[in-house]
Amino acid sequence: MKKKRILLKVGSNTLTKETNNISRGKIEDIANQMAQLQDTCEFIIVSSGAIAVAKQFVKLESKQKDVFVKQALASIGQPHLIRIYQEIFREYGLLTSQCLLSYSDFEKQESKTNIVNTINVLVNNNYIPIINENDTVATDEIKFGDNDKLGALTASLLNADLFIIATNTNGIYTKESIENGTPKTIELVEDFDQLKNQVVNSKSTHGTGGMQSKIDAISVAKKSNVETWIVNGLEDNFITNAIENKIPFTKIM
């Protein structure tokens, strides 16, 4: 039986549960769900959080521009982030690997072929690739939004059946409901242009992505016919609950 290929994009806000520290509990929650679903689904993770991890124990002194400090923090935090994933996933019998990508990798045919071949080998051998942007050389993630676009490009390249963006809201809310202060989730989107008009721009606290970067990501995934779900990753069991339709979230066909 062919497994369903799911690409999960987790931002810093989800991984820290909107605090200043990476939440081991949240990573356990993700591992637990992936372990439950491993017979029917194969997973690839695009994870932010390297800068957030480094900020927990490092204060860098620098007269350099802010972006260079962030890149240095990413370099310090990335191995720690992967170590936390490895330790926790191992407790659930899951194997992980690290892949660092840059946006320029998606522009060269040779790089794209290599990414696909390498990740397919990993996934076929039951490794869950954990992808982040290669922040020490690239500034795109820091500038362009919390790995949303990287997630969408990767989901498209790897022919994912489903692209899940874990965020800190119950999907995308109607503009009207936000203005009224009673957020109401748009559950199904069939007309993407209509959705664009509903989006109110807001940034997340740790990450650089707001709803606009989600919309840009959805449009990339849509071009490759990848179904996208925007789900509240702060909730426990957010993947299994969304699959079972137990929670409100936004589904973009």
Side-chain angles (χ1 to χ4, degrees), residues 80-117:
H80 288 280
L81 179 66
I82 288 295
R83 194 193 73 238
I84 296 167
Y85 267 111
Q86 256 182 331
E87 285 171 1
I88 291 172
F89 273 54
R90 196 184 294 131
E91 287 167 18
Y92 288 85
L94 301 172
L95 301 164
T96 52
S97 68
Q98 168 180 271
C99 301
L100 294 177
L101 301 177
S102 310
Y103 281 93
S104 57
D105 295 329
F106 291 89
E107 286 156 16
K108 300 192 281 273
Q109 192 49 53
E110 193 184 358
S111 309
K112 289 201 301 194
T113 306
N114 289 346
I115 293 167
V116 171
N117 291 339

Side-chain angles (χ1 to χ4, degrees), residues 207-244:
T208 43
M211 269 305 158
Q212 189 53 51
S213 79
K214 310 267 180 291
I215 292 291
D216 296 343
I218 294 163
S219 98
V220 169
K222 213 171 160 43
K223 281 193 188 103
S224 302
N225 296 319
V226 177
E227 185 177 322
T228 303
W229 294 1
I230 313 271
V231 181
N232 191 338
L234 298 176
E235 302 290 333
D236 286 343
N237 299 314
F238 64 97
I239 305 169
T240 50
N241 283 343
I243 289 172
E244 291 166 17

Side-chain angles (χ1 to χ4, degrees), residues 141-156:
E141 190 260 348
I142 291 168
K143 287 193 312 223
F144 285 131
D146 206 4
N147 271 344
D148 293 325
K149 190 175 165 198
L150 185 69
L153 287 166
T154 309
S156 303

Side-chain angles (χ1 to χ4, degrees), residues 149-207:
K149 190 175 165 198
L150 185 69
L153 287 166
T154 309
S156 303
L157 185 61
L158 298 170
N159 290 325
D161 297 300
L162 179 60
F163 173 36
I164 298 178
I165 300 180
T167 185
N168 55 353
T169 57
N170 298 330
I172 299 175
Y173 301 137
T174 65
K175 203 172 193 169
E176 188 185 30
S177 72
I178 291 178
E179 285 159 4
N180 294 343
T182 52
K184 184 175 180 304
T185 301
I186 302 168
E187 292 193 355
L188 181 65
V189 176
E190 294 178 273
D191 182 343
F192 184 57
D193 292 324
Q194 215 176 344
L195 177 72
K196 286 194 234 178
N197 303 329
Q198 290 288 345
V199 167
V200 177
N201 218 349
S202 62
K203 282 272 189 281
S204 57
T205 42
H206 274 285

Side-chain angles (χ1 to χ4, degrees), residues 22-36:
I22 290 286
S23 161
R24 293 181 78 95
K26 179 42 65 184
I27 294 180
E28 281 174 10
D29 174 46
I30 293 168
N32 178 31
Q33 295 176 81
M34 290 186 176
Q36 285 176 44

